[in-house]
Amino acid sequence: MSSARSSGPGGGAPAPPPPGRALRDGLPQGRAQFQQQLAQLEASALGGLDLIVEQLDRVLESLTHQDVELAQMVIDDDDRVDGRYLEVHQGILSLLALQAPVAGDLRLVAALLHTIKHIERMGDQCVNIAKLIPLSGHEPPVRREVLEALAKMGASARSEVMQCKAAFAGRAVDLAEDLVRQDRDINRLNREIFRMAIEVGDDPDTREWAMHMILVARALERIGDNAVDIGEQVAFVVTGLFREFSDSSHGGGERDPSLRSRPEGP
């Protein structure tokens, strides 16, 4: 009896914790591990944008020099982009199976799922350009002004890819919104290349090459669109509201954010 009375704060063995306390005490450690894994997945996803920059550099060089072998490398290397997509996608699903994120974490998870899909689509557009390069032969009847406009488009698309990565990593909504300005330049060049292509003359080989360049310009324009889409995910992560920065179905004009903003999660 005396030993039972001496147990607890006054001496002897401490009293057992109340039911549920051990589980509650374990939560901070579990949440810290969750945060670490989520940060690793974000870094892996944003690293996919570095792969896109590499693919863009290669495909633009192969376009300028009609380098069919380099274009084939772009096609073969698409497996890396696809692998990154699967890695991040499966990692997020596994993370969701272990813990249920809330508030800002849930927004980030949703944004990463969207972002990695846009990155995969960018990789597909690089492959589409690479597949067009051999179709014109080793010495196609190029028009220098068209190639120069495509080079400008490619540089703008590359800049957008790098900027959307910086915006996401820094949660910089202003940087994300600025993507629309660059995208307008890409859209303008796309229209200009289309005009030049239909005015190249009557030579069948030249017209065929020009039609291929229209498809190249369209692929670059889509890469820019995907960069803007990633920028929209940045705004969603920060504010909890999803809004489209621009309306591609109406000539790329900016929308009134008040008409498009809506809750999309916690």
Side-chain angles (χ1 to χ4, degrees):
M1 294 292 293
S2 60
S3 61
R5 285 193 299 269
S6 64
S7 298
R21 177 175 174 181
L23 179 61
R24 290 197 303 272
D25 287 348
L27 278 177
Q29 181 178 0
R31 293 301 297 173
Q33 185 178 11
F34 172 83
Q35 293 283 348
Q36 181 181 8
Q37 291 174 331
L38 187 57
Q40 290 172 348
L41 287 170
E42 178 179 348
S44 183
L46 296 183
L49 290 168
D50 294 330
L51 298 180
I52 298 302
V53 170
E54 290 180 22
Q55 289 285 74
L56 259 177
D57 287 343
R58 287 177 177 176
V59 80
L60 291 171
E61 182 179 350
S62 64
L63 180 68
T64 301
H65 301 290
Q66 197 60 27
D67 191 331
V68 176
E69 292 183 359
L70 186 57
Q72 186 59 47
M73 289 177 60
V74 173
I75 296 170
D76 295 340
D77 232 20
D78 190 50
D79 288 344
R80 285 205 301 160
V81 179
D82 291 342
R84 184 63 62 97
Y85 166 77
L86 292 173
E87 172 191 329
V88 174
H89 191 271
Q90 292 300 319
I92 289 174
L93 293 183
S94 298
L95 199 60
L96 288 174
L98 296 176
Q99 292 203 44
V102 295
D105 288 342
L106 182 56
R107 294 201 299 270
L108 178 56
V109 165
L112 287 176
L113 286 172
H114 284 288
T115 295
I116 196 64
K117 184 60 179 176
H118 290 305
I119 293 171
E120 191 266 343
R121 289 172 178 169
M122 289 179 179
D124 288 345
Q125 295 299 338
C126 290
V127 170
N128 290 340
I129 297 172
K131 288 180 177 179
L132 289 166
I133 292 171
L135 299 182
S136 301
H138 289 282
E139 295 182 2
V142 302
R143 290 291 184 270
R144 183 56 52 187
E145 64 273 15
V146 175
L147 287 180
E148 289 175 354
L150 284 170
K152 291 179 182 177
M153 275 193 81
S156 294
R158 187 185 195 277
S159 176
E160 280 197 75
V161 172
M162 295 177 65
Q163 184 166 322
C164 75
K165 177 187 177 182
F168 203 116
R171 304 295 191 267
V173 176
D174 56 341
L175 199 60
E177 291 175 337
D178 183 63
L179 290 164
V180 176
R181 174 187 56 81
Q182 293 195 58
D183 205 50
R184 280 196 291 263
D185 292 336
I186 288 183
N187 293 338
R188 177 184 56 78
L189 286 166
N190 185 35
R191 293 190 297 269
E192 184 178 331
I193 289 168
F194 180 84
R195 177 188 57 77
M196 288 188 291
I198 63 177
E199 295 176 355
V200 294
D202 297 328
D203 176 64
D205 291 339
T206 304
R207 292 185 68 85
E208 181 181 7
W209 175 83
M211 294 305 103
H212 291 160
M213 295 307 101
I214 288 177
L215 296 177
V216 170
R218 175 58 178 165
L220 291 172
E221 189 261 344
R222 289 300 303 141
I223 290 174
D225 286 346
N226 278 285
V228 173
D229 290 336
I230 292 174
E232 292 171 351
Q233 295 302 318
V234 175
F236 170 60
V237 170
V238 173
T239 68
L241 296 175
F242 178 79
R243 60 186 177 90
E244 295 182 359
F245 291 165
S246 63
D247 183 3
S248 58
S249 65
H250 291 82
E254 291 183 74
R255 287 183 176 179
D256 180 354
S258 65
L259 297 178
R260 297 301 303 166
S261 295
R262 62 182 183 274
E264 193 176 273

